[in-house]
Amino acid sequence: MDRTISPLHLGEGSGERLHKIMNTLKIFFRNLKHRKAVTLINIAGLVLGITGAVLIFEYVFYERSYDAHYKDADDVYRLVYHRYRGETLLWKTVGTFYPSGEYLKSNFAEVEDYFHMDWRDNIEIAVKEEENTMKSIFEKRAYFASETIFDHFDLPMTRGTADCLTEPNTAAISERMAKKLFNDQDPIGKTIVVNSRERYAITGVYENFPSNSHIKSDILFSDATRLVMTPSLRTSWGNDHNFTYLRLKPGTDYKAFEKKAFPKMVDDNYAEQLNNRGERDDYYIQPIKSIHLNSALESEPELPGNKKGVDVLFGFAVFLLVIAWINYVNLITARSVDRAKEVGVKKVCGAGRSTLIRQFISEAVFFNLICVALSVALVIVLMPFFKQLTGIEHLGLIVGTKFLSYAGLFILSGIALSSIYPAFVLSSFRPFDVLKGKFKSSGQGIALRKGLITFQLFVSISLFIGTGIIYTQVDYLTRKDPGYSYQSVLVVRAPRTTETGEAYRSKIELLADRLRQKPNVRDFTFVSDIPGQEILSWYSLYVKGDDPSSVIGFFRTDVDLAFFDFFKMRMLAGRTFNEEDRVSQNKHILNEKGMQRLGFQSPEETVGAIVMRGKQEMEIIGVVEDANYRSVKVEAVPTAFTLRNDAKQYMAVKYTGTADLKSIISDLESEYRSIFPDNAFDYEVLEDKIAADTRTDHVFSLVFGIFSVLAGVISVIGIMGLVIIIINQNMKELGIRRVLGARLPAVNSFLWKHFYPQLIVAVCLAIPVSYYVFQKQVLEGYIYRISISPNQLILPVIFIALVLAIVIVILARKAFSENLTRILKSE
């Protein structure tokens, strides 16, 4: 017999399949329409859950994407080291010694290449404009860079070639800087003047560094220039003002490489000097892709991210999706009684279980796809607001292949898992039990629903507890006294001129005198480093009479006579600087950490001590209280304060709190330009700079709080749906209770008993788990942290219980007001 299938048969088969699909869709939409309230609740829960999770995933993927776009990212590492004296940690820094890269490449086959970078902060750049006028700007962060930088960082050149940094006194600039300095002109061949002294030819223009890069700079100077300036750098194992990056051969076990290479590097080059001082250096390398979230060392080029916070948010997003799908499963299985007769009738008419499973899975997939489509639309609408909230410059990962594949896989897995169980439950009903009404009194699915409700309440309580803890921690950081006063302070970058010494200082003092005469200006100070950033200068001292090899490193801040009063830093012993100290230049003030580093036990013991700076004797005249100069999230560092003028870069102006800031800035700029007409004027409000330090923590707190509320709303939505279903399934019982004299509180009690056991279990789980997770994963990431109080654990429980009670009361009241005749009439 010819068994070839004819086109007609194909057409009939296709038509039959289309008919089945249309029939399934018809039943699907009829069921949605039949239970409008539960349908809307289900859609709202899923859409909110998917939308919230996608937005959090976008933020998490962005934070984890740092430096992953560079072509050699998997094989590039940054060299860092810690220095110890005995078992005491002196410092841990990203700065390393210039010869280390060449040594490692020459002696270890695992190293394919290396490159250097060295930061330059707060430089003034000037270019000649038409009619021989000069245009000047300040640049906060620039670098010297090896000639191979563009190969390793994979930055496309828009003008010039990748080898543009081979010669001394050459520089490459970003497209952003090219626009800023030269407008639409071709920058190649143009000359810039740096700090009124150094001249560089522009030899290349590169695309802007991506925002998700741990290094960002709009200008790179050739490393050859630095070697001309300081030839001894090539062989110096004492100057660690340098970033060293290594490119290892693919497949190298970098941990094994660390153990083999770095002890030998130290032994071959400077172990003797370390041994003489009782010190040691511990080196390791950081995968470049891990730097942003895992490194918070001294001299970091950019503020690090919060890995634990990002990990917590990722888990949060997963929980948000799980809660949303739990709602879906709960509501679908709770409605199984409504659809039991449909299943019973279909089975009596010959429908097999596999047919019913396909139908219910199809319905679940249709429902989820509708919610996904609505979520995508909502994400598109909310993305600009989310971008503004998080402060991320470019939120584009949502359209990336990797993001879409991961998110798509996760969402499809959720759809599948949330569809299969209800389908098997609904298809398992036995027709005779259903048609007899026996199913209604069975316990099928009740245990699972109770478990899922418990999980929802557990997650909601945990997230609300976490929100309170995180908010309190961030508020604590915001209010913490850093050890100095920073309110009502304007900071102006000092001009970079050719004048030096007394001539330069006299102009600064002239500006200070003029400003102090302004009615809204209270004080002025001239310093090398301002609060809110890392101290850049380094200093070495040892106590007179000790072995000179015991020299100890300090951070050094150059100040003027007004500095300590200006910032209201508290003296613990001794005195501040006076006019005689400015002349002699041989007096020091230390902070508490500096005092301890020299081995003194008390401020009083320290005052009057003589320390050595090389062969020069210095007297310690005072000890000041430690201040979190760089950040309230970072411990104070050993600091020596001096009266030198050569490194001062900032002028700080304190104004009256009621003054008009715009007017003060205008007066300040006018006076500045009258004295320094050829220099750039650049300022910032110190309060804003300090606030930026905790900005990532505020963002984390805000994002966590918003989505915690969202998770709570989703849980409440799900519980509302379950209460509605319970009411609908028990309307006759409730009606009979009313006839027999039951009042509203009895109805509330009837509904409440379906939820309070789950609430009790959820509370018993949420409190200890939340305490452990947020103590270990969040708070321990902070140097200065709060202690978790009982209120932070108990108040969220009370809040969730109240919300649950209010939902039950409102829905019970509505059920109680239903018409008795309609309720009790025969089905």
Side-chain angles (χ1 to χ4, degrees):
M1 181 182 292
D2 185 5
R3 297 186 181 275
T4 304
I5 300 175
S6 68
L8 177 61
H9 288 127
L10 279 171
E12 288 176 351
S14 300
E16 185 179 349
R17 284 194 296 272
L18 179 62
H19 175 74
K20 288 181 179 179
I21 292 172
M22 296 304 296
N23 190 49
T24 300
L25 285 173
K26 185 188 297 184
I27 296 172
F28 169 67
F29 285 111
R30 184 183 65 193
N31 280 313
L32 294 185
K33 185 178 179 181
H34 180 61
R35 293 293 186 187
K36 293 178 182 177
V38 176
T39 297
L40 289 175
I41 286 172
N42 222 343
I43 289 175
L46 261 182
V47 169
L48 289 177
I50 294 172
T51 301
V54 169
L55 290 174
I56 295 175
F57 282 147
E58 170 73 13
Y59 177 76
V60 169
F61 270 68
Y62 178 86
E63 286 292 298
R64 291 179 175 178
S65 73
Y66 266 67
D67 302 301
H69 43 271
Y70 296 130
K71 63 180 181 181
D72 296 324
D74 290 332
D75 301 312
V76 174
Y77 301 81
R78 185 176 68 179
L79 183 63
V80 300
Y81 82 102
H82 299 177
R83 176 161 292 180
Y84 294 85
R85 173 164 292 169
E87 296 304 315
T88 302
L89 176 67
L90 298 181
W91 63 78
K92 46 185 180 179
T93 178
V94 303
T96 50
F97 307 113
Y98 192 89
S100 57
E102 179 60 35
Y103 173 87
L104 292 168
K105 183 182 179 182
S106 300
N107 289 275
F108 296 95
E110 293 91 337
V111 180
E112 285 191 336
D113 204 358
Y114 69 94
F115 62 100
H116 294 294
M117 299 190 77
D118 182 22
W119 60 101
R120 305 191 71 186
D121 288 278
N122 297 314
I123 60 172
E124 186 174 3
I125 303 171
V127 295
K128 187 177 289 186
E129 295 188 306
E130 295 179 3
E131 300 177 359
N132 289 325
T133 59
M134 297 297 289
K135 175 182 181 180
S136 296
I137 64 168
F138 275 100
E139 178 61 21
K140 295 181 181 179
R141 181 70 66 156
Y143 294 90
F144 288 110
S146 297
E147 59 189 75
T148 57
I149 181 69
F150 298 111
D151 295 328
H152 296 291
F153 272 165
D154 196 23
L155 290 171
M157 304 297 297
T158 57
R159 296 178 184 270
T161 58
D163 60 352
C164 59
L165 294 179
T166 56
E167 299 296 325
N169 297 101
T170 56
I173 57 177
S174 69
E175 290 180 313
R176 181 168 42 241
M177 179 63 76
K179 183 72 173 176
K180 193 183 297 185
L181 289 177
F182 302 105
N183 296 319
D184 296 324
Q185 299 178 39
D186 183 358
I188 301 299
K190 297 274 197 311
T191 299
I192 60 173
V193 180
V194 176
N195 295 341
S196 300
R197 296 179 178 86
E198 306 164 26
R199 302 175 71 84
Y200 294 86
I202 302 299
T203 52
V205 179
Y206 55 88
E207 287 187 5
N208 299 330
F209 272 87
S211 60
N212 55 339
S213 173
H214 81 282
I215 280 186
K216 305 178 187 71
S217 180
D218 286 330
I219 183 164
L220 300 172
F221 302 104
S222 65
D223 194 51
T225 308
R226 183 167 55 142
L227 295 176
V228 169
M229 292 177 174
T230 316
S232 61
L233 199 61
R234 288 183 184 274
T235 57
S236 173
W237 290 91
N239 182 341
D240 62 2
H241 204 262
N242 182 78
F243 297 157
T244 301
Y245 294 86
L246 307 175
R247 192 181 78 214
L248 303 185
K249 288 183 177 179
T252 299
D253 181 347
Y254 77 92
K255 289 293 184 182
F257 172 74
E258 288 175 343
K259 294 177 182 177
K260 176 175 68 172
F262 299 139
K264 179 172 173 54
M265 181 179 74
V266 174
D267 287 343
D268 288 353
N269 293 284
Y270 65 104
E272 185 177 350
Q273 297 95 303
L274 289 176
N275 293 335
N276 289 339
R277 299 194 298 265
E279 297 174 351
R280 76 174 194 275
D281 284 351
D282 290 348
Y283 281 87
Y284 63 97
I285 51 177
Q286 303 169 314
I288 191 173
K289 292 194 295 185
S290 74
I291 290 173
H292 174 66
L293 289 179
N294 295 279
S295 183
L297 307 179
E298 292 172 8
S299 304
E300 289 285 357
E302 300 287 338
L303 288 173
N306 184 343
K307 183 182 185 302
K308 288 188 175 181
V310 169
D311 291 343
V312 168
L313 281 177
F314 179 79
F316 188 0
V318 173
F319 276 132
L320 206 57
L321 277 176
V322 170
I323 287 175
W325 279 315
I326 283 175
N327 270 357
Y328 174 79
V329 172
N330 263 345
L331 293 175
I332 291 298
T333 54
R335 281 189 59 205
S336 57
V337 172
D338 295 342
R339 302 198 67 180
K341 286 188 177 180
E342 175 192 339
V343 173
V345 170
K346 284 186 175 182
K347 283 192 172 184
V348 168
C349 293
R353 188 178 184 188
S354 61
T355 302
L356 292 171
I357 288 175
R358 285 196 299 271
Q359 176 194 331
F360 292 131
I361 288 180
S362 299
E363 290 181 9
V365 170
F366 289 150
F367 188 89
N368 275 272
L369 290 177
I370 289 172
C371 292
V372 168
L374 292 173
S375 297
V376 170
L378 193 56
V379 166
I380 292 171
V381 171
L382 294 177
M383 190 58 76
F385 302 99
F386 190 70
K387 176 181 174 182
Q388 184 177 8
L389 170 68
T390 57
I392 296 175
E393 294 180 16
H394 303 291
L395 282 172
L397 290 179
I398 197 168
V399 296
T401 304
K402 188 175 181 180
F403 179 87
L404 289 176
S405 61
Y406 277 107
L409 180 64
F410 197 86
I411 290 175
L412 287 175
S413 300
I415 290 175
L417 292 173
S418 65
S419 306
I420 291 171
Y421 175 76
F424 274 87
V425 169
L426 293 173
S427 65
S428 66
F429 304 156
R430 290 184 293 179
F432 293 108
D433 290 342
V434 168
L435 296 178
K436 287 180 180 179
K438 184 179 179 181
F439 173 75
K440 181 172 285 191
S441 61
S442 74
Q444 188 169 358
I446 292 176
L448 176 65
R449 287 201 298 277
K450 286 182 177 180
L452 295 178
I453 291 169
T454 302
F455 181 77
Q456 279 185 303
L457 291 171
F458 160 73
V459 172
S460 298
I461 293 169
S462 299
L463 292 178
F464 276 103
I465 289 174
T467 298
I469 291 171
I470 293 168
Y471 174 82
T472 307
Q473 172 64 31
V474 174
D475 182 63
Y476 168 73
L477 289 178
T478 304
R479 292 184 294 102
K480 184 184 182 301
D481 179 10
Y484 55 83
S485 171
Y486 57 85
Q487 289 78 16
S488 303
V489 175
L490 275 173
V491 175
V492 179
R493 286 178 176 79
R496 302 302 182 89
T497 72
T498 55
E499 296 171 306
T500 58
E502 191 61 32
Y504 180 69
R505 189 168 67 86
S506 64
K507 284 192 172 184
I508 296 294
E509 290 181 349
L510 174 62
L511 177 61
D513 289 341
R514 289 186 181 180
L515 291 175
R516 289 191 180 104
Q517 294 173 18
K518 304 288 182 182
N520 291 324
V521 173
R522 294 162 53 192
D523 207 351
F524 177 97
T525 190
F526 186 35
V527 298
S528 61
D529 304 274
I530 57 167
Q533 68 182 35
E534 188 170 54
I535 300 171
L536 297 177
S537 298
W538 193 251
Y539 212 49
S540 296
L541 299 171
Y542 66 94
V543 178
K544 183 179 180 181
D546 289 352
D547 188 335
S549 65
S550 66
V551 63
I552 300 172
F554 293 82
F555 288 91
R556 188 193 79 210
T557 299
D558 295 331
V559 302
D560 62 5
L561 301 181
F563 173 80
F564 292 102
D565 288 336
F566 183 98
F567 285 111
K568 293 183 169 54
M569 298 182 75
R570 293 176 284 276
M571 297 297 298
L572 300 178
R575 61 175 177 84
T576 59
F577 294 117
N578 59 31
E579 190 65 41
E580 292 181 4
D581 301 328
R582 187 161 70 177
V583 176
S584 63
Q585 290 282 304
N586 66 348
K587 300 292 192 295
H588 277 40
I589 293 174
L590 300 179
N591 68 351
E592 293 173 272
K593 282 281 195 300
M595 171 195 80
Q596 293 161 5
R597 179 161 284 190
L598 283 175
F600 295 109
Q601 301 301 314
S602 69
E604 292 76 16
E605 177 191 1
T606 310
V607 173
I610 304 299
V611 294
M612 304 298 294
R613 166 65 175 165
K615 295 183 178 180
Q616 185 181 8
E617 293 186 0
M618 304 281 186
E619 181 186 359
I620 300 173
I621 62 170
V623 176
V624 68
E625 187 177 278
D626 281 340
N628 301 108
Y629 209 72
R630 178 188 178 188
S631 167
V632 291
K633 297 185 291 184
V634 178
E635 279 191 286
V637 295
T639 307
F641 297 91
T642 70
L643 278 174
R644 295 174 57 178
N645 287 311
D646 55 326
K648 292 180 180 176
Q649 302 184 65
Y650 299 96
M651 298 175 288
V653 179
K654 184 169 288 188
Y655 57 91
T656 56
T658 57
D660 176 37
L661 188 56
K662 289 184 179 179
S663 175
I664 292 174
I665 293 169
S666 177
D667 286 348
L668 179 57
E669 182 175 8
S670 176
E671 295 293 353
Y672 179 94
R673 293 195 182 282
S674 70
I675 299 173
F676 304 103
D678 297 325
N679 295 98
F681 175 78
D682 190 58
Y683 73 91
E684 58 188 332
V685 179
L686 188 55
E687 283 180 80
D688 295 341
K689 186 177 183 65
I690 300 299
D693 176 50
T694 55
R695 186 183 178 283
T696 55
D697 303 278
H698 280 286
V699 169
F700 175 58
S701 173
L702 188 58
V703 170
F704 196 94
I706 289 173
F707 288 106
S708 291
V709 172
L710 181 59
V713 168
I714 293 171
S715 294
V716 169
I717 285 173
I719 290 170
M720 283 177 61
L722 286 172
V723 172
I724 290 172
I725 290 170
I726 291 169
I727 289 172
N728 289 336
Q729 292 176 353
N730 294 275
M731 284 302 291
K732 284 194 175 182
E733 180 181 347
L734 294 175
I736 292 170
R737 286 172 181 257
R738 281 181 58 189
V739 170
L740 296 176
R743 311 303 299 168
L744 181 59
V747 179
N748 290 333
S749 177
F750 171 78
L751 294 174
W752 182 250
K753 74 178 183 180
H754 288 80
F755 295 98
Y756 79 82
Q758 287 77 49
L759 178 62
I760 292 172
V761 174
V763 169
C764 292
L765 291 173
I767 288 179
V769 170
S770 299
Y771 181 89
Y772 177 81
V773 169
F774 288 98
Q775 180 70 39
K776 292 293 183 182
Q777 295 300 317
V778 178
L779 294 183
E780 286 194 0
Y782 293 96
I783 300 292
Y784 305 101
R785 53 182 177 265
I786 61 168
S787 298
I788 298 177
S789 68
N791 286 343
Q792 290 171 320
L793 300 173
I794 295 171
L795 290 179
V797 172
I798 295 173
F799 175 75
I800 292 292
L802 284 175
V803 170
L804 184 59
I806 290 169
V807 168
I808 290 173
V809 167
I810 291 173
L811 294 177
R813 181 180 293 277
K814 184 177 183 301
F816 196 76
S817 63
E818 285 286 333
N819 185 285
L820 276 174
T821 303
R822 187 186 69 79
I823 294 172
L824 297 177
K825 71 180 180 179
S826 177
E827 291 180 304

